[in-house]
Amino acid sequence: GENVEQHPSTLSVQEGDSAVIKCTYSDSASNYFPWYKQELGKRPQLIIDIRSNVGEKKDQRIAVTLNKTAKHFSLHITETQPEDSAVYFCAASIGSSASKIIFGSGTRLSIRP
Amino acid sequence: NAGVMQNPRHLVRRRGQEARLRCSPMKGHSHVYWYRQLPEEGLKFMVYLQKENIIDESGMPKERFSAEFPKEGPSILRIQQVVRGDSAAYFCASSPQGNEQYFGPGTRLTVT
């Protein structure tokens, strides 16, 4: 069945450095790839998403890249800050309708002061 | 525009009781999704509904679990005869057209 794999499961970076989280997906028809941030005890929040017709999207310190040929996409956070500490989930749509998404297993990002 | 609302935020049930979880989508959103999250784990899809229709329930356990999204009122996730393994956070998300999903604050169910 459809699957999304996410790496690493935990990531610790020095404040100010960059963090990269990578995901791969199995459904070649997937065309929508959102990223969510979940702080402890809180709801998942949509932070950025990308559709298959673009290869990269940026929003301030956050960027996402997509390689459809290789079926992988990545989240890049630059100039990390303590408030970036959270669990990040990638997701990919099932099929081309984008109405259902499957989540990766999550990456726990810790920012060291 | 109020966000996705869920209630109750915390629910304690004894084994064998019923749990009813409610979700009010964002205004203008007609697509509702339910997910389950165990501690330290990811979000597992349960069911996808539009008004008065179940679109995809492939993630729902075959027994004891049901969901609805009536023409009027919130979406309801119902768990009958709860067991300890049902203890989890249940998140609802809504979407305007079946793409971007916005999550509610979740209901944390504890079965004693």
Side-chain angles (χ1 to χ4, degrees), chain A:
Chain A
E2 300 89 359
N3 189 40
V4 175
E5 294 196 357
Q6 183 170 349
H7 305 279
S9 57
T10 59
L11 179 60
S12 178
V13 302
Q14 194 75 32
E15 183 179 350
D17 288 350
S18 296
V20 180
I21 302 171
K22 298 182 179 182
C23 290
T24 60
Y25 60 98
S26 59
D27 185 353
S28 56
S30 295
N31 62 0
Y32 174 63
F33 308 90
W35 286 86
Y36 286 83
K37 174 184 180 182
Q38 187 178 28
E39 297 176 53
L40 188 62
K42 302 279 184 69
R43 75 185 78 190
Q45 288 192 301
L46 179 64
I47 56 171
I48 194 168
D49 56 14
I50 191 169
R51 297 183 188 273
S52 58
N53 56 345
V54 298
E56 184 176 1
K57 184 176 179 180
K58 284 185 181 179
D59 183 3
Q60 300 182 342
R61 296 185 297 108
I62 293 173
V64 58
T65 59
L66 171 65
N67 183 328
K68 282 219 75 177
T69 302
K71 289 194 279 188
H72 64 69
F73 56 115
S74 302
L75 179 72
H76 304 251
I77 306 174
T78 58
E79 301 172 19
T80 53
Q81 301 170 4
E83 53 265 36
D84 295 329
S85 294
V87 178
Y88 291 80
F89 293 98
C90 64
S93 62
I94 303 302
S96 57
S97 70
S99 58
K100 178 181 170 183
I101 59 177
I102 282 189
F103 285 84
S105 54
T107 296
R108 181 174 299 280
L109 175 63
S110 300
I111 308 300
R112 302 191 303 272

Side-chain angles (χ1 to χ4, degrees), chain B residues 8-47:
Chain B
R9 296 291 306 278
H10 300 275
L11 182 61
V12 180
R13 284 286 178 266
R14 292 197 182 97
R15 280 178 296 171
Q17 291 185 319
E18 178 179 288
R20 279 186 179 236
L21 287 61
R22 295 174 183 78
C23 169
S24 296
M26 289 176 71
K27 187 177 179 180
H29 288 196
S30 59
H31 300 244
V32 166
Y33 306 80
W34 285 94
Y35 295 87
R36 177 165 130 162
Q37 186 175 41
L38 294 170
E40 304 296 319
E41 292 193 11
L43 295 150
K44 299 300 182 188
F45 168 80
M46 297 182 75
V47 62

Side-chain angles (χ1 to χ4, degrees), chain B:
Chain B
N1 189 3
V4 179
M5 309 289 284
Q6 287 187 251
N7 67 80
R9 296 291 306 278
H10 300 275
L11 182 61
V12 180
R13 284 286 178 266
R14 292 197 182 97
R15 280 178 296 171
Q17 291 185 319
E18 178 179 288
R20 279 186 179 236
L21 287 61
R22 295 174 183 78
C23 169
S24 296
M26 289 176 71
K27 187 177 179 180
H29 288 196
S30 59
H31 300 244
V32 166
Y33 306 80
W34 285 94
Y35 295 87
R36 177 165 130 162
Q37 186 175 41
L38 294 170
E40 304 296 319
E41 292 193 11
L43 295 150
K44 299 300 182 188
F45 168 80
M46 297 182 75
V47 62
Y48 164 34
L49 311 103
Q50 294 181 31
K51 282 285 187 182
E52 300 184 278
N53 285 304
I54 296 175
I55 307 302
D56 184 336
E57 57 181 348
S58 58
M60 289 274 274
K62 293 288 186 286
E63 298 176 352
R64 303 189 297 110
F65 285 72
S66 62
E68 62 176 6
F69 188 15
K71 187 177 180 181
E72 301 291 338
S75 175
I76 307 283
L77 178 68
R78 181 182 177 205
I79 311 173
Q80 295 178 290
Q81 300 174 334
V82 296
V83 300
R84 287 224 172 102
D86 296 332
S87 295
Y90 292 84
F91 287 96
C92 159
S94 74
S95 174
Q97 296 177 352
N99 33 56
E100 302 93 27
Q101 295 184 24
Y102 298 92
F103 281 80
T107 294
R108 278 148 186 85
L109 172 66
T110 301
V111 179
T112 62

